[in-house]
Amino acid sequence: MIICVYLVIFSLIGTGFYYLFRTAPTCTDKIQNQKEVSVDCGGPCVACEQMPTAENLKVIEKAIVPGGAGKYDVLVRITNPNSLLGAARFDYSFNLLDGSGRIVAKSAGSNFILPGQTKYILAFNLSPETIPESLDFEISAFEWSKFSEYQEPDIAIYSREFSLASGGETGFAKLQAKMRNQSGYDFRQITDKAVIRNGKGDPVAINQTGFNDVRMNEEREVNFNWSSTFQIDPVSAKIEIEPEVNVFESDNYMKQHGVPGQYGSYDFNNQ
């Protein structure tokens, strides 16, 4: 009985302190409370802006690319038909299928896409049980964001040079280029994706490399290397290099005039 009495007294005291010192709910506390319709909007706050209906992302190309020694790389090119909506995150999965439609290898991940953007999604070194006949690609779990306006990062790629190995060079082929950050920001991370196409326009090789700590107006050398062989005529080869910067990640923006050496610069190389 005595213990119960003390528990009741302490509970009343704790409740009193909570209501005495608690922070009153506001329209900027990032909590859906005080009869708000959504977080910090509706009810006593400003009206919630209606999110337009989003169209699904469209797959405009799929390809399986031999990666050497029983391995395969896969490529998908998607486009976002929404002019005001971007996906801060979406989940995807690749499935390699045999002739009967059975999954023989798979890979999954997540990515983002800007309004109206067309981009590549790549996966490397899939090891199927048998030779794959087709590629299945699925997208799910969207996190849509509405843009009133935005400025896509300006990353220039130039001075492309593609060649096959010769003499004492190792590997099979290499692609060299230069990249310049012409945006008004310093970025923690930039990813470059390369697609090599034959004279007919079919993808025959893909690769990916990335850079950390790329400051405004800084130029970097971009290098892709392939160790396994693929059928290509260097003269008729069509070279694509697509830079990618995740503008949804606030941590990806660095101060324009940071202290040199503040961030450890390094390249995470070919997958």
Side-chain angles (χ1 to χ4, degrees):
M1 290 287 294
I2 295 174
I3 293 174
C4 290
V5 170
Y6 274 107
L7 288 175
V8 171
I9 293 173
F10 285 127
S11 297
L12 292 174
I13 293 174
T15 302
F17 274 108
Y18 170 76
Y19 282 102
L20 182 63
F21 295 104
R22 70 168 180 166
T23 302
T26 68
C27 293
T28 58
D29 56 13
K30 298 183 179 180
I31 301 174
Q32 184 176 346
N33 48 24
Q34 56 179 351
K35 298 183 179 180
E36 296 169 351
V37 177
S38 186
V39 176
D40 293 340
C41 68
C45 305
V46 297
C48 297
E49 184 179 5
Q50 185 174 0
M51 182 74 76
T53 302
E55 293 186 51
N56 290 333
L57 301 183
K58 297 179 180 179
V59 177
I60 57 178
E61 183 181 20
K62 296 189 295 183
I64 303 173
V65 180
K71 296 184 181 297
Y72 293 84
D73 302 331
V74 290
L75 167 154
V76 164
R77 191 159 178 79
I78 61 172
T79 187
N80 179 8
N82 301 287
S83 59
L84 295 177
L85 295 178
R89 175 192 169 96
F90 62 88
D91 297 331
Y92 63 84
S93 61
F94 291 100
N95 293 317
L96 291 179
L97 310 177
D98 63 12
S100 65
R102 183 174 62 93
I103 297 175
V104 292
K106 56 185 177 180
S107 177
S110 61
N111 211 304
F112 68 93
I113 194 166
L114 294 170
Q117 185 181 27
T118 299
K119 66 184 296 183
Y120 284 113
I121 300 179
L122 311 177
F124 302 89
N125 297 323
L126 277 69
S127 301
E129 303 170 7
T130 185
I131 298 176
E133 296 290 336
S134 60
L135 171 64
D136 179 57
F137 180 74
E138 297 180 354
I139 306 176
S140 61
F142 289 94
E143 293 181 9
W144 291 110
S145 297
K146 183 178 179 181
F147 287 72
S148 56
E149 60 180 35
Y150 76 98
Q151 183 176 2
E152 189 171 348
D154 184 4
I155 310 298
I157 303 292
Y158 54 97
S159 299
R160 298 172 174 84
E161 294 183 6
F162 175 72
S163 62
L164 302 181
S166 62
E169 294 180 332
T170 58
F172 172 73
K174 62 181 179 181
L175 170 60
Q176 297 174 309
K178 293 186 182 297
M179 175 184 73
R180 179 181 293 277
N181 177 13
Q182 300 179 160
S183 305
Y185 303 94
D186 301 342
F187 293 113
R188 284 185 184 273
Q189 189 174 95
I190 297 176
T191 301
D192 289 341
K193 299 176 181 179
V195 178
I196 308 297
R197 298 178 182 270
N198 59 24
K200 298 180 180 179
D202 301 322
V204 295
I206 62 176
N207 215 322
Q208 180 172 301
T209 189
F211 307 89
N212 281 9
D213 185 11
V214 182
R215 288 176 166 76
M216 182 175 58
N217 294 323
E218 181 180 0
E219 181 182 271
R220 294 282 187 95
E221 290 189 359
V222 183
N223 294 286
F224 301 95
N225 295 285
W226 286 268
S227 58
S228 57
T229 60
F230 51 89
Q231 296 295 322
I232 191 68
D233 177 8
V235 177
S236 61
K238 299 177 181 179
I239 310 300
E240 298 177 39
I241 301 178
E242 180 181 274
E244 180 178 278
V245 181
N246 191 346
V247 300
F248 292 98
E249 292 287 346
S250 58
D251 289 345
N252 203 22
Y253 292 90
M254 294 162 45
K255 294 182 179 179
Q256 296 186 15
H257 304 288
V259 179
Q262 180 179 2
Y263 305 98
S265 299
Y266 65 95
D267 300 344
F268 55 96
N269 252 323
N270 311 311
Q271 301 296 310

